[in-house]
Amino acid sequence: MAAVTIQAQVNTTTALLGSWSGKLKVGAMSLTLVLHLEQADGYVKVSLDSPDQGAKGIPTFKEYLSDDSLAVKVESITLLAAQANRILSLSGQPANMTVEKYRQQEAVQQVPWVRWFCDYDPSDDIRKAPCPVFALNGNLDCQVLSSLNLEAIRCLLPSSKRHLIKEYPFLNHLFQHCTTGLPTEYGQIEETISSEVLEDIARWIQSL
């Protein structure tokens, strides 16, 4: 799970207000991201949608907006709420999980490690990674949304030709071929893990 940072060059602040849609290239996949910008009390509020993966209204923090640049960051617990909404939506339930509701869950309140995990921002650790990294994700993963994680990891990692960032189509959190990606499917799928993933891992290790 990575806190995702989005940066863009812009012409004027006022011209940016509204909704903006663009494509994010993640491996072989192209995913739609939508930024919503509105002005309130002298500030510009920004939220993010990832419609291809059913995540909408993702709040952001630490926004920076000037006449020629825009930087948006999404904290980890916000991504957790977005992932919960993805699962709720696929299950036919209202996708109404908020950060506040997520924090109030019994598992979060009672387990110190879970509370720490909700607030952990791995950005600095990723930036300091001392070794080659293979970051992989299924595009139907409901527990770690590929559209909000892989590109952030790519941007944060130190430059190295030995890094590999790859998204796999039709794979879930366990790298099984699946229909929806819901955790309830895991035990119903005969495949343990995609052979392509295993081959890629072995090939990448051998190439180091």
Side-chain angles (χ1 to χ4, degrees):
M1 164 80 61
V4 61
T5 300
I6 300 170
Q7 295 180 310
Q9 293 298 119
V10 301
N11 294 323
T12 64
T13 299
T14 54
L16 263 185
L17 298 178
S19 296
W20 298 85
S21 177
K23 292 290 185 180
L24 176 68
K25 296 288 185 180
V26 185
M29 302 296 294
S30 178
L31 295 167
T32 301
L33 292 182
V34 183
L35 285 173
H36 304 284
L37 290 84
E38 58 180 323
Q39 199 157 19
D41 300 324
Y43 295 92
V44 175
K45 180 181 178 182
V46 186
S47 62
L48 174 69
D49 294 347
S50 178
D52 294 337
Q53 294 189 306
K56 296 183 179 181
I58 303 168
T60 66
F61 77 119
K62 294 182 180 177
E63 301 100 307
Y64 171 77
L65 181 63
S66 70
D67 286 342
D68 62 359
S69 63
L70 167 67
V72 174
K73 190 172 185 180
V74 180
E75 63 181 341
S76 296
I77 191 169
T78 302
L79 300 185
L80 291 171
Q83 289 159 192
N85 280 327
R86 172 64 170 163
I87 293 174
L88 288 168
S89 178
L90 287 172
S91 302
Q93 302 177 56
N96 56 5
M97 180 64 71
T98 64
V99 169
E100 292 73 21
K101 286 182 180 180
Y102 200 97
R103 287 191 185 279
Q104 292 305 313
Q105 292 182 108
E106 185 175 347
V108 176
Q109 289 293 313
Q110 295 187 357
V111 182
W113 181 88
V114 176
R115 293 200 301 273
W116 172 88
F117 178 73
C118 287
D119 293 319
Y120 168 61
D121 181 351
S123 300
D124 287 340
D125 290 330
I126 296 173
R127 288 190 188 97
K128 298 173 184 177
C131 59
V133 172
F134 182 9
L136 56 163
N137 213 172
N139 79 320
L140 294 184
D141 188 338
C142 293
Q143 295 180 250
V144 179
L145 301 183
S146 60
S147 61
L148 301 179
N149 285 272
L150 286 184
E151 190 61 25
I153 293 171
R154 186 196 306 277
C155 293
L156 290 168
L157 279 173
S159 178
S160 173
K161 294 182 179 179
R162 295 193 292 176
H163 295 325
L164 178 59
I165 313 294
K166 186 170 181 178
E167 182 184 65
Y168 294 85
F170 310 114
L171 296 190
N172 62 19
H173 188 64
L174 303 185
F175 300 104
Q176 302 167 309
H177 286 88
C178 63
T179 302
T180 68
L182 282 170
T184 51
E185 285 186 325
Y186 297 168
Q188 302 169 7
I189 300 172
E190 184 175 353
E191 180 182 49
T192 303
I193 185 172
S194 163
S195 59
E196 179 186 1
V197 170
L198 291 176
E199 290 168 2
D200 283 350
I201 293 172
R203 189 179 302 112
W204 179 73
I205 292 173
Q206 292 169 356
S207 72
L208 298 178

